[in-house]
Amino acid sequence: MLTILARILKVLNSEASPWQIGWAVALGLCAGLLPFGLLTLLILLIACLFTVNLSTFLLVWGFSKALLWLLAGRLEQFGWSFGQQDWLLSALSGSETLQLLHLHHSLTLGSFLLSLLILFPIAWGTTRLVLKYRHVLMPHLNKWKIVQLLKASKLAQLYQKMN
């Protein structure tokens, strides 16, 4: 648990753009909410193409798999109710591409729709939180004696050189 906290703090204190971190969280959450398949691989490709922070993406992806397990019943109901629309049924039955994405499965459809709904708000909100942390909280934390001692230690300097 401490290593995860250390990695989160490392990302927050890094030179990575807040947008890279925000989109990494949003895309990781979307990938984690989807059952593994072609859609998940497409999200991974998007994450690689747009140079989001991959360590954050992978961390959020792993944690959000637990969300899929917890929300599976509700997501399946949501996908089932939305999938009963006539226009969607005709689109899914006529398109092999959409069938490859497994959108004809109610769990995948519900997860995909939820992912689309939360993608932009999560990216924007996480970006705002990173900016707030860097401008408000980080200067106060750097003033603490324990943080200054840890940064001044030879082990911390060696760690900085290795990264």
Side-chain angles (χ1 to χ4, degrees):
M1 187 67 173
L2 287 177
T3 57
I4 292 172
L5 181 62
R7 287 183 184 182
I8 291 170
L9 288 175
K10 182 180 175 187
V11 168
L12 288 174
N13 294 329
S14 71
E15 296 295 321
S17 162
W19 280 104
Q20 286 178 323
I21 298 169
W23 279 104
V25 169
L27 289 172
L29 187 62
C30 290
L33 284 176
L34 286 166
F36 190 79
L38 189 58
L39 277 173
T40 310
L41 293 176
L42 287 174
I43 291 174
L44 180 61
L45 178 66
I46 290 169
C48 291
L49 288 177
F50 289 110
T51 61
V52 301
N53 189 292
L54 284 178
S55 62
T56 304
F57 173 79
L58 294 173
L59 184 70
V60 172
W61 184 6
F63 278 125
S64 60
K65 274 300 174 189
L67 277 175
L68 174 62
W69 184 73
L70 290 172
L71 298 174
R74 301 264 186 206
L75 289 172
E76 193 166 6
Q77 289 174 350
F78 178 58
W80 177 259
S81 65
F82 194 81
Q84 296 305 310
Q85 306 297 321
D86 290 334
W87 62 272
L88 185 62
L89 286 172
S90 63
L92 289 175
S93 63
S95 173
E96 291 179 13
T97 305
L98 290 177
Q99 288 181 0
L100 280 174
L101 297 175
H102 294 285
L103 289 175
H104 58 284
H105 294 290
S106 55
L107 177 61
T108 306
L109 181 62
S111 299
F112 180 67
L113 292 174
L114 178 65
S115 296
L116 286 179
L117 286 173
I118 66 172
L119 180 67
F120 291 104
I122 294 292
W124 182 81
T126 305
T127 302
R128 301 296 304 160
L129 286 173
V130 169
L131 287 170
K132 283 280 188 197
Y133 168 80
R134 287 183 179 174
H135 292 327
V136 176
L137 194 58
M138 194 168 79
H140 293 298
L141 289 177
N142 287 334
K143 291 179 184 176
W144 289 4
K145 292 286 184 194
I146 187 78
V147 173
Q148 292 173 359
L149 287 171
L150 288 173
K151 284 185 176 182
S153 73
K154 291 187 181 194
L155 184 62
Q157 292 172 359
L158 180 65
Y159 181 73
Q160 289 290 338
K161 286 181 184 178
M162 292 177 74
N163 287 329

